[in-house]
Amino acid sequence: MNLFSLEFLILLTVLFILYYVVPKKFQWVCLLAASIIFYAFSGVEHLIFIGITSFTTYMAGILMSKQVCQFQIAKKADGITKEQRKTLKKVMVRRKRIILIATLLINFGILAYFKYWQTIYNGLIRVLNPEQGAISLGILLPLGISFYTFQAVGYLIDQYNGAYEAEKNYFKYLLFVSFFPQMIQGPINRFPQMERQFFQSHGFDWEGIKRALFLILFGLMKKYAIANLLVDAISVILDAPTKDMPGSVIVAGILMYSAQQYADFSGGIDLVMGIAGLFGIQMMPNFRQPYFAVSLADFWRRWHITLGAWMKDYVFYPFALTKPMQRVGKWGMNHLGKHVGRVLPACVGNILVFFIVGIWHGAQSHFILWGLYNGIVIAMAELLAPVFVRWKEALRVRENAKWYHIFCVVRTFLIVNIGWYFDRIVNFDDCMLCFKNTITHFGLAQFVPRMSSLMSDVLSVKVLPVILLAIVLVFIYSYLSERGIDVFALLSRKSIVLRWGVYYTMLVLIQFSMSYATSSEAFMYAVF
């Protein structure tokens, strides 16, 4: 079942009615039932795997909590010595670590099998028998496996660290793991924030529902009027670039991909946030105007926020604060200077995080290169920060100057789009060819005739105004949000003519796009 199907609309309608009719203490049961039904439509057999993940992490949390309780009781026993308390604590920590590692191996093992075994298997085939082509093993990725695995593992690590009490009710925990709006592409929520909302009473809030409907409409416009309309045009340019393709056309393809990816992912997040909002549930924000970022690090703090926060809390800090990394920092201070020594562990940690994020996207080499590109650029920016400060002082650049802020935004946009070459162009040779033509064969004079030839069959002249108008609306929304303005509240205060004019404009763009789009309705991040 996908978010655009008639089945989903029926499920959502029935759930909405039941949710506000049943006694409030049973509202969470309605959400759980709907989540299980939604997931079952993706493949009943996939319920096994989300069941394994939810049950193993739930039981691990209970067992860890039990170990802590036993330790607390034992250390208060009469006659126990200080040394015995230390021994008991070591035993507790060791047992918790065994539970943690075993549960991590189970869940990341399942994730790795579905995401990477097909690629690994065919890689072995190419080594052992180069003449044999790739073989399909028929492995279908369970819906949302990356997102619910990361979410459950976050809860598991929090239990290991004693961040909060373990949930005693398995079915309440299962709702946290399987909540249906987040299944498609996140966000990766945290248990404390969701627990408070799932199990409190929610009355019928018409203002909140109107805001949720606006968010759904805005997300649908992004998905249909931008992302779906650009897919084929991007494929024509970047799937099989030729040696004579001008760099200007390649850049246009990358810019279209930049718009498509943002509209697809953020539009999907708007959609699922809006759906959750219909029931009074506010999931964790996942986007904050990323194309207004002033550095690559700032961009990744704004794009897929929950994945970045997950990596920071559960990979970056645990790695950067290890004793080996602290020794690396001390070595850097002694040999390379105070600044390098201070930031070196963080730089290595950033490269590791983005390497993992690249692998998370897929085992293909272009994703790994894309991850390393981002990690290395951010690391180099940290290492060279004093140099940049001296340059700004020498050039008398005021950091609060408006022109400098715009410069930083444009610079970051260019750096991000260089990274999209690695992300979108699967074949390494094709990627290098595109870089080469962008630099040495830009061919601006050839842009119009070549684009006209390529786009004649995939991008109608009638469609271009739709895409451009939708992009303008997204830009206005993002600009106002960047200035701290609540766009929905602002629009609600305007005249009924203007307000409904905006709503109907988005509806018309969506309807028009449905008639002309030829691409799949699936979300890009659903395959991750």
Side-chain angles (χ1 to χ4, degrees):
M1 185 188 297
N2 64 58
L3 300 185
F4 306 108
S5 65
L6 177 61
E7 293 90 347
F8 180 75
L9 182 59
I10 293 171
L11 175 65
L12 191 63
T13 303
V14 172
L15 173 62
F16 184 79
I17 295 169
L18 286 176
Y19 189 78
Y20 290 108
V21 169
V22 301
K24 290 182 171 55
K25 65 180 179 179
F26 295 122
Q27 286 180 324
W28 73 271
V29 178
C30 293
L31 293 178
L32 176 60
S35 298
I36 293 172
I37 293 169
F38 176 82
Y39 205 80
F41 267 86
S42 75
V44 177
E45 67 279 7
H46 292 163
L47 286 171
I48 297 171
F49 302 106
I50 196 170
I52 291 172
T53 294
S54 59
F55 186 73
T56 55
T57 51
Y58 163 78
M59 285 303 302
I62 295 293
L63 292 173
M64 288 180 186
S65 179
K66 185 178 179 181
Q67 292 300 317
V68 174
C69 288
Q70 289 176 347
F71 169 70
Q72 294 294 343
I73 293 170
K75 78 173 186 177
K76 293 178 182 178
D78 294 335
I80 192 168
T81 65
K82 187 176 180 180
E83 288 301 317
Q84 287 174 323
R85 286 195 187 94
K86 287 183 178 179
T87 302
L88 286 170
K89 187 174 182 179
K90 287 180 181 178
V91 170
M92 179 200 69
V93 171
R94 184 170 65 248
R95 288 176 178 173
K96 285 178 65 177
R97 188 175 292 124
I98 291 170
I99 294 168
L100 172 70
I101 293 171
T103 312
L104 287 175
L105 288 174
I106 290 170
N107 287 284
F108 280 137
I110 293 172
L111 180 63
Y113 169 76
F114 280 105
K115 286 181 71 74
Y116 309 120
W117 177 238
Q118 175 83 54
T119 303
I120 294 170
Y121 181 83
N122 281 306
L124 292 172
I125 290 293
R126 282 195 296 271
V127 172
L128 299 174
N129 187 3
E131 296 180 0
Q132 184 172 332
I135 297 174
S136 175
L137 300 179
I139 299 174
L140 298 177
L141 197 68
L143 180 68
I145 186 170
S146 289
F147 297 106
Y148 74 66
T149 300
F150 274 36
Q151 193 159 293
V153 165
Y155 170 86
L156 173 71
I157 298 173
D158 285 347
Q159 291 305 307
Y160 176 78
N161 292 328
Y164 45 83
E165 289 186 9
E167 174 56 56
K168 303 298 189 297
N169 187 321
Y170 169 69
F171 294 102
K172 289 184 175 181
Y173 176 72
L174 178 60
L175 173 59
F176 163 70
V177 176
S178 66
F179 185 46
F180 71 96
Q182 71 196 17
M183 283 292 102
I184 301 296
Q185 53 183 5
I188 302 170
N189 294 299
R190 302 293 178 92
F191 185 75
Q193 289 83 355
M194 300 306 290
E195 180 195 27
R196 288 194 292 269
Q197 300 183 74
F198 281 145
F199 310 123
Q200 69 183 29
S201 298
H202 293 280
F204 189 87
D205 177 12
W206 178 231
E207 286 302 313
I209 290 170
K210 285 195 295 184
R211 180 181 290 273
L213 290 172
F214 173 77
L215 205 53
I216 291 170
L217 182 63
F218 191 55
L220 286 172
M221 186 201 69
K222 288 181 184 177
K223 173 62 176 166
Y224 277 107
I226 301 175
N228 283 6
L229 291 181
L230 286 174
V231 172
D232 292 337
I234 296 165
S235 296
V236 167
I237 297 172
L238 300 179
D239 280 355
T242 57
K243 291 183 179 179
D244 65 336
M245 183 175 286
S248 55
V249 173
I250 294 167
V251 169
I254 291 295
L255 291 175
M256 285 192 288
Y257 176 66
S258 184
Q260 180 230 344
Q261 183 170 220
Y262 175 74
D264 190 285
F265 191 19
S266 72
I269 291 295
D270 288 344
L271 189 57
V272 300
M273 293 285 224
I275 291 168
L278 293 175
F279 308 101
I281 306 296
Q282 301 299 316
M283 294 193 291
M284 296 181 70
N286 220 27
F287 278 90
R288 185 171 57 84
Q289 300 78 249
Y291 285 123
F292 283 94
V294 295
S295 69
L296 189 58
D298 184 33
F299 177 86
W300 289 114
R301 286 191 291 268
R302 294 163 172 258
W303 178 292
H304 208 336
I305 294 170
T306 56
L307 177 63
W310 195 96
M311 288 290 173
K312 180 183 71 175
D313 292 344
Y314 303 123
V315 177
F316 176 80
Y317 283 132
F319 174 79
L321 297 176
T322 58
K323 289 182 180 179
M325 280 296 99
Q326 295 306 302
R327 286 196 289 269
V328 167
K330 288 180 180 178
W331 177 88
M333 284 188 178
N334 294 332
H335 295 85
L336 302 172
K338 184 178 180 180
H339 171 75
V340 173
R342 183 173 58 83
V343 302
L344 195 55
C347 292
V348 178
N350 273 316
I351 293 172
L352 173 65
V353 163
F354 277 97
F355 175 73
I356 293 172
V357 169
I359 293 176
W360 176 75
H361 279 76
Q364 297 89 338
S365 59
H366 70 104
F367 284 134
I368 296 171
L369 287 171
W370 167 80
L372 289 174
Y373 164 81
N374 283 280
I376 291 170
V377 169
I378 291 173
M380 292 303 297
E382 286 288 335
L383 290 171
L384 297 175
V387 177
F388 299 146
V389 170
R390 287 196 292 272
W391 284 356
K392 283 184 282 188
E393 289 174 350
L395 296 172
R396 297 181 180 178
V397 173
R398 291 185 297 108
E399 289 196 3
N400 60 350
K402 189 173 181 179
W403 73 265
Y404 182 69
H405 179 82
I406 295 172
F407 165 77
C408 290
V409 171
V410 173
R411 176 194 62 190
T412 303
F413 182 77
L414 293 175
I415 293 171
V416 168
N417 277 273
I418 291 171
W420 293 148
Y421 279 75
F422 297 110
D423 183 59
R424 178 58 181 81
I425 304 170
V426 176
N427 183 279
F428 179 75
D429 291 337
D430 286 345
C431 185
M432 293 300 102
L433 173 65
C434 287
F435 272 124
K436 178 184 175 183
N437 286 6
T438 299
I439 297 170
T440 65
H441 176 49
F442 197 71
L444 190 58
Q446 304 171 40
F447 177 76
V448 173
R450 191 61 182 269
M451 281 293 286
S452 300
S453 173
L454 289 170
M455 298 296 109
S456 58
D457 296 329
V458 296
L459 198 62
S460 167
V461 175
K462 297 178 182 178
V463 169
L464 282 175
V466 174
I467 298 172
L468 292 174
L469 179 55
I471 289 174
V472 168
L473 289 175
V474 171
F475 176 81
I476 293 171
Y477 182 95
S478 300
Y479 176 75
L480 293 174
S481 297
E482 183 68 9
R483 294 181 60 190
I485 297 171
D486 183 333
V487 178
F488 174 76
L490 175 67
L491 199 57
S492 299
R493 294 192 297 269
K494 299 299 180 182
S495 68
I496 191 170
V497 174
L498 177 60
R499 186 166 66 250
W500 280 96
V502 173
Y503 298 157
Y504 276 115
T505 298
M506 291 194 286
L507 282 169
V508 169
L509 291 176
I510 293 167
Q511 183 60 45
F512 188 91
S513 304
M514 287 180 176
S515 303
Y516 282 88
T518 58
S519 67
S520 168
E521 294 177 344
F523 289 102
M524 295 173 67
Y525 271 69
V527 300
F528 297 145

